[in-house]
Every structure is written in C-alpha cells, then in structure tokens.
Amino acid sequence: PARVTVVSFSFKEERFLQLHRAALRFPAAAFRFVGVDPPSPAFAHRLPVLAHWEATASLAPFRADPYGCHSPVLRRKRSERNPFFRTPPYPLSC
C-alpha cells in the first residue's frame, strides 16, 4: 500500500508509530495513527493503568523482539487470542 492508517486506542500510539511501523520497514511519512477512545469517564479513569500495562506488557517486549516471535510474553498473548485454533499457529507464520 502507498499509505497505512491505524485506528486504535490512543495509549497504543507509540507502539504502532515507532515499533510496528519500523518492524514493517514502512515509511513514517506514509503511516498515520488515529487514537480513538471511548467517551466514558470509566475509560478515562482507567487510562493511566492501561498506559502502564501497554508500557510493560507490550512496548518492552516488542522493543526486545520487534516481530514478536521469540518473546514468551508475546507468544502467550498470541496463543490466548486463538483459543479455538481457527488460524494457523503463529510459530508457523513467524
């Protein structure tokens, strides 16, 4: 693609703009992130906690393993997202 736009929660911005984009070797000038958060006081209240978990459970592991193939933390997260084995196992696709 000539351009990519990612829409996700605002606390994920650094991960997508810096780590995932770089891992894909996609040019920064053609990559855009749009942070969208639910307009709820409950979400706003939890945002600091979410930002903390993003830093420890996502940013740190992806900095060490940009493609997410070797980190035990990232491997566990991926396997938990595929509980019914409806897609090929990630180790086969890394």
Side-chain angles (χ1 to χ4, degrees), residues 74-91:
L74 297 174
R75 290 173 67 184
R76 184 179 67 249
K77 286 171 70 171
R78 275 194 309 277
S79 69
E80 290 170 358
R81 289 187 182 132
N82 190 18
F84 302 110
F85 303 103
R86 296 187 67 182
T87 60
Y90 284 96

Side-chain angles (χ1 to χ4, degrees), residues 57-71:
S58 291
L59 286 172
F62 274 114
R63 280 191 183 109
D65 181 10
Y67 299 103
C69 293
H70 307 290
S71 164

Side-chain angles (χ1 to χ4, degrees), residues 3-49:
R3 300 189 56 76
V4 169
T5 300
V6 174
V7 179
S8 188
F9 293 118
S10 63
F11 64 87
K12 297 181 179 185
E13 183 171 8
E14 181 180 353
R15 176 164 39 116
F16 279 93
L17 283 179
Q18 303 302 321
L19 304 178
H20 295 327
R21 181 203 54 79
L24 294 171
R25 297 185 180 130
F26 202 83
F31 193 92
R32 186 172 149 223
F33 182 90
V34 177
V36 178
D37 295 334
S40 108
F43 183 84
H45 177 73
R46 295 216 12 103
L47 199 51
V49 173

